[in-house]
């Protein structure tokens, strides 16, 4: 048994480091993105009972997290809340909506982006 003690210690350390890495690189950022989306939705004055579906995924291409939401009162559109800490928008979220695969203008949304996001977008143009 003594012969395998070093192996068990090595495997245990690798396992513990893997758990710490997962929590640090995936669980905490996902929780932060979820809270940011909740705060953004609260600022839009949307109640949680208006949400029909909500799915959050890691955005491997662009970085950050992508939360797709369909609202009960606007079920034709799929709202995408893109969270990335590099954004200077409110709560680090950029909001876009899609209908049949094409993006919609802000005036076509029942729940448009926050005014601060619109101002930031106009500055960059």
């Amino acid at each position: 048994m003594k012969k395998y003690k070093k192996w068990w210690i090595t495997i245990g350390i690798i396992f513990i480091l893997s758990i710490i890495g997962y929590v640090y690189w995936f669980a905490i950022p996902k929780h932060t993105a979820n809270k940011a989306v909740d705060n953004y939705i609260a600022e839009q004055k949307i109640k949680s009972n208006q949400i029909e579906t909500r799915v959050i995924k890691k955005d491997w291409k662009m970085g950050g997290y992508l939360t797709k939401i369909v609202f009960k009162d606007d079920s034709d559109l799929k709202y995408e809340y893109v969270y990335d800490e590099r954004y200077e928008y409110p709560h680090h979220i950029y909001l876009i909506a899609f209908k049949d695969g094409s993006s919609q203008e802000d005036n076509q949304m029942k729940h448009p982006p926050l005014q601060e996001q619109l101002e930031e977008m106009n500055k960059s143009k």
Side-chain angles (χ1 to χ4, degrees):
M1 189 67 178
K2 241 181 181 180
K3 186 166 140 178
Y4 298 109
K5 187 175 182 180
K6 288 182 183 178
W7 282 104
W8 284 111
I9 290 173
T10 304
I11 290 171
I13 289 172
I14 290 171
F15 181 71
I16 290 171
L17 289 176
S18 298
I19 290 174
I20 291 170
Y22 173 78
V23 168
Y24 182 75
W25 278 296
F26 296 104
I28 292 173
K30 185 175 183 178
H31 175 73
T32 304
N34 238 347
K35 292 301 281 181
V37 170
D38 289 342
N39 293 337
Y40 195 97
I41 288 173
E43 276 193 49
Q44 285 181 296
K45 297 184 181 26
I46 299 171
K47 294 180 177 59
S48 61
N49 63 355
Q50 291 176 279
I51 297 174
E52 188 173 315
T53 61
R54 178 179 179 154
V55 178
I56 184 168
K57 293 181 182 178
K58 173 82 173 140
D59 188 356
W60 293 102
K61 289 183 182 178
M62 302 297 289
Y65 282 85
L66 177 67
T67 304
K68 294 181 181 183
I69 297 179
V70 176
F71 295 105
K72 291 178 183 175
D73 60 350
D74 196 10
S75 60
D76 292 340
L77 296 180
K78 291 183 175 122
Y79 290 79
E80 291 188 0
Y81 293 80
V82 182
Y83 173 83
D84 193 336
E85 289 183 352
R86 297 174 291 186
Y87 292 153
E88 301 212 5
Y89 299 123
H91 306 286
H92 304 288
I93 290 181
Y94 179 76
L95 172 63
I96 49 177
F98 293 94
K99 181 177 183 179
D100 299 325
S102 62
S103 63
Q104 302 295 299
E105 295 293 325
D106 300 331
N107 59 2
Q108 295 171 318
M109 297 181 202
K110 187 163 187 171
H111 307 288
L114 295 176
Q115 190 61 36
E116 293 93 346
Q117 177 181 336
L118 297 174
E119 290 170 1
E120 283 289 324
M121 287 172 38
N122 289 334
K123 281 184 195 176
S124 62
K125 286 182 181 179

